[in-house]
């Protein structure tokens, strides 16, 4: 049974240099036809699996950039969602947003349509770094967007930050954190740059023209991040996420709990009835397939028991609370120690895992090398 819904809006007015998500430039795209096709896909999928959608807790609009749409297009999209997705248990409805696209009209359309959480891509408060990574907003756009969002009625606002950026210094990172925390928002996400294939940065990296901070400097930035967030009274609940108590992202927790969710839209991924799937990425192919009366699936994979176990561990260990023995045994019908006893014992000795009567979790030291720890739970 799905707990969440992800809806992909693949349109952008500007392509960021680090982004590898399925996206296209907004201009000359069949945006209205895409929105209607989304409605068809959602209606079709819900009709085929009505029981799977009765307990939906969260909806997340991602991209691309949902706020690349006009206010009228946003209103139509949200109308479609309310028409076809059972909303009775939805407690968190998030939209990603670019600060320089958040007009009062768009914010009102989002709020009136049921969105109650904004996740804003800020990345940095340094103008030079923003230009270097392909962002088009200014700090003033951020301040204005947050102020207007609050006036419209939004109280749950999150911003994304990035570190390990090309040429970024500790001073620049400290200033970004100071500026971000001065906004006193209930939620912050902060991610280190990963150079992904098919991005502008990947091309630069391949040519030796992308000058990144050293691993030691990036680790220092992460250390500063954790210290500054804690000093501001924010609780780290996942490797990259910090929140006031009660404002943790429910939608992202669905992923880390390895629970099921539906994915709609071009290039979207989902996990329903034990099957992980992905949709056609090209906009035209997506629309044509849906209009023909078929779900736009390009790949389906029935998750094996072994894979489910591995996913439970490496996703769950991203959470600061880690993986409990109870949740593991409930899903896997076997005690965690049966399969991972020796692995856990070794990682505890190395100071990377903490073990108690509830379960296991990364130590503070372990958070710095999370991916290396996760690999130990892959067979």
């Amino acid at each position: 049974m799905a707990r969440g819904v992800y809806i992909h809006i693949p349109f952008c007015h500007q392509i960021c240099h680090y982004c590898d998500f399925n996206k296209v430039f907004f201009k000359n795209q069949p945006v209205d036809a895409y929105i209607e096709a989304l409605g068809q896909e959602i209606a079709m999928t819900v009709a085929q699996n009505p029981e799977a959608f009765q307990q939906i807790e969260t909806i997340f609009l991602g991209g691309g950039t949902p706020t690349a749409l006009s206010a009228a297009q946003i209103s139509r999209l949200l109308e479609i969602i309310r028409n076809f997705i059972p909303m009775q248990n939805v407690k968190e409805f998030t939209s990603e947003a670019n600060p320089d696209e958040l007009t009062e009209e768009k914010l009102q359309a989002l709020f009136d349509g049921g969105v109650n959480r904004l996740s804003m891509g800020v990345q940095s408060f340094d103008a030079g770094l923003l230009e270097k990574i392909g962002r088009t907003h200014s700090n003033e756009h951020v301040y204005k967007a947050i102020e207007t969002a609050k006036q419209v009625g939004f109280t749950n606002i999150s911003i994304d930050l990035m570190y390990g950026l090309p040429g970024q210094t500790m001073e620049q990172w400290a200033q970004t954190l100071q500026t971000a925390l001065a906004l006193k928002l209930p939620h912050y996400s902060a991610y280190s740059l990963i150079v992904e294939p098919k991005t502008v940065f990947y091309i630069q990296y391949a040519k030796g023209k992308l000058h990144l901070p050293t691993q030691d400097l990036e680790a220092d930035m992460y250390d500063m991040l954790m210290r500054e967030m804690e000093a501001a009274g924010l609780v780290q609940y996942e490797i990259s996420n910090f929140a006031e108590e009660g404002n943790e992202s429910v939608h992202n927790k669905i992923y880390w709990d390895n629970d099921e969710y539906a994915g709609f839209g071009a290039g979207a991924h989902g996990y329903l009835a034990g099957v992980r799937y992905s949709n056609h990425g090209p906009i035209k192919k997506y629309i044509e397939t849906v209009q023909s009366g078929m779900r736009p699936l390009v790949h389906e994979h029935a998750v094996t028991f072994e894979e489910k176990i591995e996913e439970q561990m490496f996703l769950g260990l991203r959470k600061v609370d880690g993986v409990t023995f109870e949740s593991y045994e409930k899903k896997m019908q076997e005690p965690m120690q049966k399969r991972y006893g020796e692995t856990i014992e070794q990682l505890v000795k190395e100071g990377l895992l903490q073990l108690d009567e509830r379960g296991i979790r990364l130590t503070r030291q372990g958070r710095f090398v999370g991916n290396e720890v996760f690999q130990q739970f892959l067979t």
Side-chain angles (χ1 to χ4, degrees), residues 70-100:
S70 69
Q73 289 167 337
I74 289 171
S75 293
R76 175 57 183 153
L77 171 63
L78 298 177
E79 178 186 25
I80 285 171
I81 292 170
R82 293 194 306 274
N83 284 345
F84 297 118
I85 295 175
M87 302 290 290
Q88 65 270 16
N89 295 309
V90 173
K91 52 190 172 186
E92 181 185 276
F93 193 160
T94 302
S95 177
E96 291 183 342
N98 276 345
D100 50 343

Side-chain angles (χ1 to χ4, degrees), residues 17 132 166 199-211:
H17 298 344
K132 192 176 290 187
T199 63
V200 173
F201 275 170
Y202 187 81
I203 296 170
Q204 293 177 359
Y205 182 78
K207 294 179 178 178
K209 295 182 178 180
L210 190 69
H211 305 294

Side-chain angles (χ1 to χ4, degrees), residues 15 108 188 194 206 214 222 227 287 303 310 353 363 367:
I15 305 296
Q108 195 68 58
Y188 296 85
I194 298 175
T214 64
Y222 184 55
R227 287 188 285 106
I287 293 174
V303 178
E310 292 176 355
L353 275 188
T363 61
R367 294 175 205 166

Side-chain angles (χ1 to χ4, degrees), residues 100-111:
D100 50 343
E101 295 170 351
L102 276 179
T103 63
E104 182 176 357
E105 188 180 15
K106 289 185 183 182
L107 282 162
Q108 195 68 58
L110 288 165
F111 191 77

Side-chain angles (χ1 to χ4, degrees), residues 36-46 48 263-265 277-280 284-300:
E36 298 306 317
L38 265 174
Q40 290 176 266
E41 184 197 1
I42 295 170
M44 197 184 315
T45 308
V46 173
Q48 292 173 3
F264 297 114
Y277 65 89
S278 57
N279 284 349
H280 286 294
K284 183 179 179 183
K285 180 69 173 178
Y286 170 81
I287 293 174
E288 288 176 349
T289 304
V290 172
Q291 288 178 341
S292 72
M294 297 174 60
R295 287 181 62 193
L297 301 173
V298 69
H299 180 72
E300 293 181 274

